[in-house]
Amino acid sequence: GESVGLHLPTLSVQEGDNSIINCAYSNSASDYFIWYKQESGKGPQFIIDIRSNMDKRQGKRVTVLLNKTVKHLSLQIAATQPGDSAVYFCAENTGANSKLTFGKGITLSVRP
Amino acid sequence: GAGVSQSPSNKVTEKGKDVELRCDPISGHTALYWYRQSLGQGLEFLIYFQGNSAPDKSGLPSDRFSAERTGGSVSTLTIQRTQQEDSAVYLCASRKTSGGSYEQYFGPGTRLTVT
């Protein structure tokens, strides 16, 4: 069936470096994508979203890139900080009841 | 303002017992979702409520699972005759359906442990 997946289960980066978290999706009908951050013991928190009619969207220290040709989504975090350590999930919306289909998540670990 | 709240935060129950998990969505959010998150896994959709429409129950794993949403606000997820495989974090999310945003706001979750 259709699925959203992440390429790597864990990512370790040096504090101050840029982080790139990748996500592949397979449903070409998906019209909206979102990144969530989940810290230990907490619910997922919104980071940034992007609609399918866009290629790039920037927030504060974060950028989401969407490549519809290869069905690829990425989250870039500039100047990674220890507080960025968490599990990151990408999710897609296909329009049916606005249900989000989540990937399994990738753990970002920031080394001091 | 207040976010999504869930109670209890932790629940330990014996196999075979029934449990009820509660979700208080953000005021004014008409859409409400329940998800299940097993250890080290992503979020598994369970059920969706939208206003007065019939809920989308397509994600409920068995007939032991049910949910209600009273008065378009508070929701209760009930698991009957709990099994060990029901152990997980149960997350609730709400969404404001006006304005065209798909962003869901999540509560902190209820960690359910079935012994």
Side-chain angles (χ1 to χ4, degrees):
Chain A
E2 303 284 0
S3 64
V4 176
L6 296 172
H7 293 307
L8 299 172
T10 59
L11 177 65
S12 180
V13 298
Q14 189 72 39
E15 181 179 356
D17 287 353
N18 297 333
S19 301
I20 300 176
I21 303 172
N22 296 306
C23 178
Y25 67 95
S26 58
N27 190 338
S28 57
S30 295
D31 61 355
Y32 172 86
F33 305 86
I34 188 168
W35 282 99
Y36 280 95
K37 171 187 179 183
Q38 187 175 26
E39 296 174 289
S40 180
K42 298 183 179 179
Q45 292 180 293
F46 170 86
I47 301 174
I48 193 168
D49 59 2
I50 188 168
R51 293 188 181 276
S52 59
N53 61 353
M54 302 173 67
D55 298 323
K56 179 180 180 179
R57 190 164 188 220
Q58 287 185 295
K60 182 179 179 182
R61 280 201 311 118
V62 295
T63 301
V64 56
L65 298 176
L66 176 63
N67 185 329
K68 293 181 286 294
T69 302
V70 295
K71 297 177 186 172
H72 184 268
L73 187 72
S74 68
L75 176 69
Q76 300 178 359
I77 304 173
T80 312
Q81 303 170 358
D84 295 326
S85 294
V87 177
Y88 289 80
F89 294 95
C90 65
E92 62 179 332
N93 173 75
T94 58
N97 288 335
S98 299
K99 287 185 296 188
L100 295 176
T101 301
F102 286 81
K104 289 192 174 182
I106 182 168
T107 300
L108 176 65
S109 177
V110 182
R111 303 188 303 273
Chain B
V4 177
S5 61
Q6 293 185 245
S7 61
S9 55
N10 284 283
K11 176 72 176 178
V12 180
T13 189
E14 292 180 351
K15 177 181 175 181
K17 300 285 189 181
D18 298 351
V19 295
E20 285 190 353
L21 312 179
R22 177 187 169 104
C23 172
D24 285 82
I26 294 173
S27 178
H29 282 196
T30 58
L32 186 147
Y33 304 78
W34 282 98
Y35 294 88
R36 178 168 69 176
Q37 185 175 31
S38 301
L39 185 64
Q41 298 296 312
L43 279 68
E44 174 190 5
F45 167 80
L46 296 176
I47 190 169
Y48 162 75
F49 295 91
Q50 169 56 46
N52 295 320
S53 301
D56 177 352
K57 305 179 181 180
S58 61
L60 295 179
S62 76
D63 58 8
R64 296 187 295 106
F65 288 72
S66 63
E68 292 184 342
R69 189 179 185 191
T70 55
S73 181
V74 171
S75 177
T76 302
L77 176 69
T78 300
I79 308 174
Q80 296 178 310
R81 305 180 302 281
T82 52
Q83 303 294 314
Q84 289 186 332
E85 59 262 31
D86 299 334
S87 296
V89 175
Y90 289 83
L91 291 159
C92 174
S94 69
R95 181 173 68 89
K96 179 180 179 182
T97 53
S98 61
S101 171
Y102 292 116
E103 181 184 350
Q104 297 179 19
Y105 295 79
F106 283 84
T110 294
R111 180 174 297 278
L112 175 66
T113 303
V114 182
T115 61

